[in-house]
Amino acid sequence: MLFKMIPSGPLLKEDVRLVLYKKGSKISTSVKVIGLIFLVLPRTSTSSQPSFTSECKMGTRRLGHGTNYHWTEDAELVDLSLPQELTPIPVTIRTELKSVKVNVHETALVVIDMQNDFCEKGGWLDSLGLDWEKDRAPIPPLKRLIPDLRRKGVKIIWVNWGNRKDLANMYPNQMWTSYNVGNGSGLGYGDLNKQGSPILEKASWGSEVVEGLKVEQNQEDILVDKHRFSGFWDTPLDSILKNFGIRNILFAGVNTDQCVLHTLADANFLGYGCIMVKDCVATTSPDYCADATFYNVKGSFGFLTNSDWVIEAFNKVE
């Protein structure tokens, strides 16, 4: 049994057809299919189909954003071989267990929830009566770390909590949790904080990067809105990282034992190398919550380092 998916219009002189053979069928007298086989077959040219060259006068076109993860296309060929344009730049970072080596081109810094609702007077945590100033601890080390990493070519990604205005994707259990944070004051998603801003709403004051780090944002940085404790759940974060060829992630932000931990754990499950920058994370929870998180990160999910060790490592890069 044979199925073919053939392009409906002319694309290239040789374009790609997906051919699916049923398990157990024979391609030839000597080859038997034991699974799915994908073949590239030449198109049968016809006089009624103009050539790609005659229709598209073009040079080489790049498809994709990643430096080492993209295709190229010209009038005759689509190159899927993922050409390695940049020579790998290995960097060895000290961690609490043992050193780890990463490639600069495959490494990103993900900064989680360093935003007004968590880190600023008048934000959600302040409105709940929690010690929001504890969540400002990562600001000074991040102000040193971010420019240094960016100069060396590390992608900076900001993951901030930003709900839909209509809360249409927030399940009842999520709403219940939001109303019972901290002292159970009853301020939850959609309510107003002390600044009069809707709590954790996308494009609101509460979802903006905290003032102390706004200056560190760059037009080449990427902002991802999340709406769960994990930055990967129902967001484009994984697709963005893969599209830029990222394999290893440095984690920073708040809260250590909540959104940072859950995002890091999901990254681990998805196959990324995970490195938490210990002095660049913070939490309003009791100290034992952070201690348990650090224990689990270096025991189950990845590695623990600090901003000094990271800067030391990247300063060795030419």
Side-chain angles (χ1 to χ4, degrees):
M1 190 175 185
L2 173 66
F3 299 89
K4 293 184 179 180
M5 293 176 63
I6 304 174
S8 58
L11 294 177
L12 301 173
K13 286 183 177 178
E14 297 286 328
D15 66 286
V16 176
R17 300 183 182 188
L18 173 62
V19 183
L20 173 62
Y21 286 89
K22 185 177 180 182
K23 183 177 179 180
S25 62
K26 291 185 177 181
I27 297 177
S28 68
T29 57
S30 60
V31 180
K32 186 174 181 179
V33 179
I34 59 173
L36 300 181
I37 290 183
F38 299 89
L39 301 177
V40 177
L41 302 179
R43 172 201 284 170
T44 302
S45 60
T46 64
S47 57
S48 62
Q49 295 178 332
S51 72
F52 181 86
T53 306
S54 65
E55 287 203 339
C56 302
K57 304 290 186 182
M58 59 173 287
T60 299
R61 176 164 54 199
R62 176 182 173 136
L63 306 173
H65 291 282
T67 303
N68 282 342
Y69 178 51
H70 61 269
W71 298 353
T72 57
E73 174 189 16
D74 60 27
E76 302 293 334
L77 176 72
V78 179
D79 185 353
L80 280 60
S81 65
L82 306 181
Q84 299 294 306
E85 291 187 354
L86 297 179
T87 303
I89 303 177
V91 173
T92 301
I93 304 171
R94 284 196 286 168
T95 76
E96 290 191 6
L97 286 179
K98 58 177 66 176
S99 296
V100 297
K101 183 184 289 185
V102 300
N103 179 359
V104 172
H105 304 309
E106 297 177 346
T107 303
L109 172 68
V110 172
V111 184
I112 299 168
D113 288 350
M114 292 300 298
Q115 61 192 86
N116 291 328
D117 258 335
F118 295 115
C119 307
E120 195 64 77
K121 184 176 177 60
W124 186 31
L125 296 191
D126 180 33
S127 302
L128 291 172
L130 299 176
D131 186 5
W132 56 274
E133 291 188 89
K134 293 173 69 175
D135 276 353
R136 296 179 64 82
I139 294 177
L142 281 173
K143 287 176 72 69
R144 294 188 303 113
L145 182 62
I146 290 172
D148 192 78
L149 292 180
R150 186 184 286 118
R151 281 193 298 270
K152 303 301 183 181
V154 173
K155 179 64 67 176
I156 311 297
I157 301 177
W158 305 82
V159 179
N160 282 8
W161 199 303
N163 293 331
R164 290 171 54 104
K165 184 179 180 66
D166 60 11
L167 299 172
N169 60 346
M170 300 304 287
Y171 304 140
N173 63 348
Q174 301 300 310
M175 298 299 297
W176 182 89
T177 300
S178 78
Y179 284 112
N180 287 275
V181 171
N183 58 12
S185 64
L187 286 175
Y189 305 143
D191 293 333
L192 301 181
N193 57 31
K194 286 182 178 181
Q195 286 283 345
S197 173
I199 290 169
L200 297 180
E201 184 175 296
K202 181 178 178 179
S204 70
W205 174 85
S207 68
E208 292 178 359
V209 171
V210 66
E211 192 66 35
L213 288 176
K214 264 190 175 181
V215 68
E216 303 305 335
Q217 285 189 287
N218 183 286
Q219 62 181 3
E220 295 182 358
D221 295 351
I222 294 174
L223 176 63
V224 176
D225 295 304
K226 71 178 180 67
H227 43 270
R228 294 295 190 274
F229 279 70
S230 170
F232 285 97
W233 198 92
D234 197 27
T235 77
L237 179 57
D238 185 43
S239 298
I240 290 169
L241 291 167
K242 284 185 168 60
N243 201 33
F244 281 92
I246 301 301
R247 298 174 182 270
N248 305 293
I249 305 172
L250 296 162
F251 284 92
V254 298
N255 280 286
T256 309
D257 53 320
Q258 297 170 20
C259 295
V260 179
L261 173 61
H262 288 288
T263 305
L264 185 149
D266 275 354
N268 172 270
F269 301 152
L270 289 165
Y272 295 98
C274 301
I275 307 170
M276 179 181 281
V277 187
K278 196 172 179 179
D279 60 330
C280 291
V281 298
T283 183
T284 58
S285 302
D287 290 344
Y288 63 79
C289 296
D291 291 340
T293 299
F294 298 145
Y295 175 85
N296 282 308
V297 166
K298 66 182 179 182
S300 301
F301 301 122
F303 306 89
L304 279 178
T305 188
N306 61 61
S307 60
D308 288 336
W309 287 351
V310 176
I311 291 172
E312 174 188 71
F314 278 84
N315 279 344
K316 295 176 182 177
V317 176
E318 295 293 333

